[in-house]
Amino acid sequence: MTIIASLLRAADLPDSPSARLDAELLLAAALGKSRSFLHTWPERIVPSEAALKFAEYLQRRRGGEPVAYILGQQGFWKLDLEVAPHTLIPRPDTELLVEAALERLPATPAKVLDLGTGSGAIALALASERPAWKVTAVDRVLEAVALAERNRQRLHLNNATVLSSHWFSALEGQRFQLIISNPPYIASADPHLVEGDVRFEPASALVAGVDGLDDLRLIVAQAPDYLETGGWLMLEHGYDQAHAVRDLLLIRGFEDVHSRTDLGGHERISLGRLPC
Ligand SMILES: C[S@@+](CC[C@H](N)C(=O)[O-])C[C@H]1O[C@@H](n2cnc3c(N)ncnc32)[C@H](O)[C@@H]1O
């Protein structure tokens, strides 16, 4: 028989800043309890079934698999989302896009498009904050579309719609007040692709040509045909791509073009507005 505290001490995950947190999340999930339960009851005996499940989770984590994929869930904004290896694990950085959208647009009715929705993170965060908005979320990967739709249904967000679309292909004739996207933006030879959690995420969610800008170029080029006059385009990109993305926006005729920094001081999103 083992108690919570000694199982956590023995977890032996590879040394990393999140090793203790990872072990706690995995043990809490194996027990079907919260992390605060572990802290409140460190002397509780762990039933053998839960101990076995924890051992299996640890083995997967030692193999490098992200905790979010092991548990099948990840928090984003104020939502708990189901996640799966067909698409990206939503990142806290992407909440910058959600903040910018909530700041820039009024809460009155608006049509909003999330391109490359993955788990539905951005679209569902916006739909949950702005009940008057009609949010369309698209992805090319069918498993991602199904995943975002499951998240939408579980969260009862009836002001969001999830569609299969290759960028704008299913949206002919539609216009939006806001187009928002966290598209793939990593260069195909970027060494980070073979490191850490990213190794387990699909190339379809990460890689965009030789310089990482292929999808951003395409979205900036096509977005004006799907925006209302005065509509916003808001894009996440890599820490070293802000200059290039601002140039793309300016060349395509956007105004009020600027970038915003994350907590680390890196310019991670750029936005622009179609002239009125
Ligand atoms: C970086 S992930 C972002 C996922 C999600 N928006 C988030 O922030 O967590 C990029 C997403 O774009 C989707 N995608 C890639 N190419 C696409 C295309 N041509 N049309 C639509 N979606 C695409 C991928 O399947 C993936 O889900």
Side-chain angles (χ1 to χ4, degrees):
M1 278 193 301
T2 332
I3 62 167
I4 285 174
S6 50
L7 266 191
L8 283 175
R9 263 196 308 274
D12 192 29
L13 285 176
D15 197 24
S16 86
S18 69
R20 173 74 190 192
L21 173 65
D22 291 354
E24 289 182 6
L25 288 168
L26 296 173
L27 182 53
L31 282 163
K33 304 283 186 193
S34 65
R35 269 179 70 221
S36 58
F37 179 93
L38 310 182
H39 294 284
T40 313
W41 308 107
E43 305 300 321
R44 281 276 171 95
I45 290 169
V46 178
S48 55
E49 210 174 293
L52 279 174
K53 200 184 266 185
F54 180 51
E56 182 220 311
Y57 288 167
L58 284 177
Q59 197 176 7
R60 288 169 66 183
R61 183 66 193 131
R62 284 188 203 108
E65 196 173 338
V67 171
Y69 284 157
I70 297 172
L71 302 183
Q73 62 184 53
Q74 173 74 18
F76 179 82
W77 198 249
K78 298 168 193 165
L79 310 176
D80 272 326
L81 296 175
E82 179 189 336
V83 296
H86 312 291
T87 187
L88 196 85
I89 299 165
R91 311 281 204 271
D93 297 341
T94 302
E95 294 181 352
L96 265 183
L97 276 180
V98 176
E99 282 169 15
L102 296 177
E103 276 171 29
R104 290 277 163 179
L105 273 86
T108 48
K111 281 184 72 184
V112 171
L113 171 64
D114 174 22
L115 288 173
T117 199
S119 61
I122 300 168
L124 299 180
L126 293 177
S128 69
E129 292 289 339
R130 294 285 184 261
W133 291 2
K134 279 185 70 180
V135 183
T136 302
V138 305
D139 206 286
R140 177 155 89 161
V141 173
L142 291 180
E143 292 89 345
V145 173
L147 173 70
E149 175 61 13
R150 282 199 298 282
N151 279 321
R152 187 197 69 76
Q153 286 187 16
R154 190 172 34 75
L155 295 165
H156 305 291
L157 291 168
N158 297 327
N159 56 332
T161 308
V162 186
L163 298 176
S164 158
S165 181
H166 176 4
W167 299 135
F168 297 96
S169 68
L171 303 164
E172 218 42 59
Q174 298 199 45
R175 297 259 175 190
F176 300 86
Q177 273 94 355
L178 166 66
I179 298 176
I180 196 162
S181 183
N182 172 20
Y185 54 72
I186 300 182
S188 47
D190 190 316
H192 293 104
L193 289 168
V194 290
E195 290 172 9
D197 287 4
V198 173
R199 282 173 297 163
F200 289 80
E201 293 176 302
S204 54
L206 299 168
V207 180
V210 175
D211 62 359
L213 290 168
D214 279 6
D215 288 311
L216 285 158
R217 271 190 211 99
L218 199 145
I219 290 170
V220 174
Q222 295 189 9
D225 298 336
Y226 298 86
L227 275 173
E228 298 283 4
T229 52
W232 282 95
L233 176 61
M234 302 188 179
L235 300 166
E236 181 170 327
H237 48 68
Y239 73 96
D240 55 355
Q241 293 172 329
H243 200 289
V245 175
R246 284 197 302 271
D247 281 352
L248 290 173
L249 288 166
L250 288 167
I251 291 165
R252 191 66 181 91
F254 283 88
E255 295 179 343
D256 291 341
V257 171
H258 62 282
S259 303
R260 287 192 175 194
T261 51
D262 62 14
L263 290 176
H266 300 295
E267 292 182 317
R268 293 300 312 284
I269 68 169
S270 293
L271 37 154
R273 187 175 201 176
L274 212 59
C276 290

